[in-house]
Structure formats: structure tokens, C-alpha cells
Amino acid sequence: MRSATTPLDLLVPGPEHLPADPAEPRLTSLHAVPAGTPHVRANMVATVDGAAWGADHRSGSINDDADWRVFRVLRAAADVVLIGAGTARHEGYTALDRPAGLPAASDRPLELALVSRSGRVPQLLADGDRPPLMITGATGARTAARLLPADRVLEVPSAHDPDDVDVRAGLAAIAARGLARVLCEGGPTLLAALLRDGLVDELCVTTSPRVVGPGPSRIVAAPASGPGAAPAAGVPTTPPVPARLGHLLHAPGTGTLLARWLLR
Ligand SMILES: NC(=O)c1ccc[n+]([C@@H]2O[C@H](COP(=O)([O-])OP(=O)(O)OC[C@H]3O[C@@H](n4cnc5c(N)ncnc54)[C@H](OP(=O)(O)O)[C@@H]3O)[C@@H](O)[C@H]2O)c1
């Protein structure tokens, strides 16, 4: 179980010491997003050597209490958490609650939206009493509709392949439901699609103070084949997106760095 009591120093702008505070007023103001305006923030953790997960194939084994402090504040500031179906399966997502004790961005429950080509709803979510939203293509929508109420399935086929997902249209569909402040919690395949389509306003990256060695993916990864596949040569096919540093936090106890990068 993570604790949100680790102290933080704000290095840029700063320096400023941010002692643990259950209501997190300073972290909340540092991460505030205007209501009603579509905004996509991604929050990811990577090790010093760029790994997106640890030995258990989960990000939980590479994050820590400093990361947890910001993670909670970002959830409190969101209308909806957006994840790829792979993350839902690997990390065992269930319906989300707003973090206790923090000022919530909205009176509405925190929504969970999945992006999936297959439309396969993870069992834990299918069995729950608060079904997620499912953003999917034509065949995926039929699959998802077997387990989810019809109004939770958002069918947004891509123009090139009706079974592929138009993620931009998916974001528009959830914004039309009043879910404008999107927090994407990964994973790497979904983040690659969002970045490819220029849909990420802000990328929060925690650098976890450990080196895990080769094996895991980076926090941005495309599938090796199929829709949205990574280029065979292993070099980027899109121009680099400039990133401007919004702020940088440092946990003096561990060395964890938490950066907020602005992409648009
Ligand atoms: N370091 C971090 O911050 C972080 C954050 C989250 C997750 N993770 C880790 O990442 C790993 C999972 O990686 P992943 O890349 O498989 O995660 P992912 O992006 O969450 O899942 C990939 C799956 O999500 C669906 N999907 C994602 N993007 C899509 C798109 N544009 N169109 C249609 N479907 C899309 C597809 O589901 P279907 O197969 O159902 O079609 C795809 O197979 C886990 O080990 C997890 O712990 C790390």
C-alpha cells in the first residue's frame, strides 16, 4: 500500500519545499486544469534506463510513495481516466473512486474509459457494478456490447479500417458527455497512438530511481505488427514534438523526479 506522506521539493520553478499535506493544496494548484476545456494529460512512470515496468510486468513495481502523491492529485483533477485495455488487464483495474481527502474536480464519479480494438472487457470490470466506457471500432463494439450496457460502448471506427479505433473521435465522444479533463494512465501502446495524433497536451513523467536492465518497453511503444505498427527500422517516423518543462519535483528521500512536460 502506497503512502502519500513523503516530502517533496519543487525545484523548477523553485526551490520550494512541499511537506506532506493530506489536502495537497500546492500540488493541486500546480496541476490545475480549467473546467470544461478539453485537455489530455498523460501520467507515466519510467526507470532511469527507460523501462515502463518492472519484473512483475506492472508499473507498480517501479513506482513509489512520491509518485503516489502526485498520482492521487492527478486523479482528483480529472473527469475521466483513459487507459488501453492492456493496462486494464495487466494492472487489474476496477471502477475508480476519487482520492479521499483531496478537492475533487467535479461532483460526478471519476469515470474510467478503455480503448480497445478487440472490445474485450476485462472480467474484473465486466463483473463490477460501475461499468467502464469502451472506446472501440466496429467489431469491438459488438464484442463489448455483450458485457456492457449499450450507452457505455462508444463506437468510433477509423476511416481506414472500421475495426481500428479513431482515438481522436473517442476523445470527442467522451468530451460530449462532459468528460473534458482526461487523465491517460497508459499504457505505452495507447500513449503512442495519442502522441502520433497530436492529442496529448501534457505529459507527466516520473523518473523512478532504479535501473532494471533490458526487457521492458519504453513508456511509448507501438505494436510490432498490425494497425499502428512501429517502423521496422526502429527510427521515429514522425517529427519530434517539442516539450516545455512546466515544473519539476524532487523527492529528497529517494531521488525520484516528477516532471510535468507541456506538449501544446
Ligand atoms: N510505466 C507506466 O507508467 C505504465 C502505465 C500503464 C501501463 N504500464 C504497463 O504497460 C504494460 C501494458 O502495455 P501495453 O502497451 O499493452 O498497454 P496498453 O496501451 O494499455 O494496452 C494495449 C492494448 O490496448 C488497446 N489499445 C491501445 N491503444 C489502442 C489504439 N490506439 N487502438 C485500439 N486499441 C488500442 C488494445 O487492446 P485490445 O487488445 O483489447 O484490442 C491493445 O492491445 C503493462 O505491463 C503495464 O503495467 C506502464
Side-chain angles (χ1 to χ4, degrees), residues 43-47 51-54 56-60 62 83-91 93 114-121 134-137 163-167 185-194 196-197 217-219 221-223 227:
N43 184 35
M44 304 292 285
V45 57
T47 62
W53 57 75
D56 60 354
H57 212 292
R58 291 182 177 204
S59 55
I62 58 169
I83 50 172
T87 292
R89 293 190 282 260
H90 273 96
E91 307 266 352
Y93 270 69
L114 268 56
V115 179
S116 168
R117 180 180 162 91
S118 73
R120 283 196 297 127
V121 184
M134 172 63 86
I135 298 170
T136 187
D163 286 338
D164 208 357
V165 180
D166 182 338
V167 184
E185 292 184 350
T189 305
L190 177 59
L191 184 56
L194 291 169
R196 179 198 60 207
D197 293 348
S217 140
R218 291 167 51 204
I219 60 169

Side-chain angles (χ1 to χ4, degrees), residues 172-207:
I174 57 176
R177 292 176 169 240
L179 306 173
R181 288 165 295 190
V182 177
L183 173 62
C184 175
E185 292 184 350
T189 305
L190 177 59
L191 184 56
L194 291 169
L195 289 168
R196 179 198 60 207
D197 293 348
L199 297 172
V200 181
D201 294 287
E202 182 180 324
L203 181 54
C204 292
V205 181
T206 296
T207 303

Side-chain angles (χ1 to χ4, degrees), residues 104-149:
S106 155
D107 294 339
R108 294 172 59 177
L110 182 59
E111 290 271 15
L112 178 65
L114 268 56
V115 179
S116 168
R117 180 180 162 91
S118 73
R120 283 196 297 127
V121 184
Q123 205 57 49
L124 274 177
L125 287 166
D127 292 344
D129 53 3
R130 285 173 49 210
L133 292 161
M134 172 63 86
I135 298 170
T136 187
T139 302
R142 289 195 293 278
T143 303
R146 290 187 208 121
L147 289 173
L148 296 178

Side-chain angles (χ1 to χ4, degrees), residues 34-82:
T37 310
H39 182 271
V40 178
R41 169 189 279 151
N43 184 35
M44 304 292 285
V45 57
T47 62
V48 169
D49 55 339
W53 57 75
D56 60 354
H57 212 292
R58 291 182 177 204
S59 55
S61 58
I62 58 169
N63 63 22
D64 61 13
D65 289 351
D67 184 62
W68 178 241
R69 237 185 112 177
V70 171
F71 183 91
R72 296 171 71 241
V73 168
L74 298 187
R75 281 201 174 172
D79 296 312
V80 57
V81 169
L82 181 77

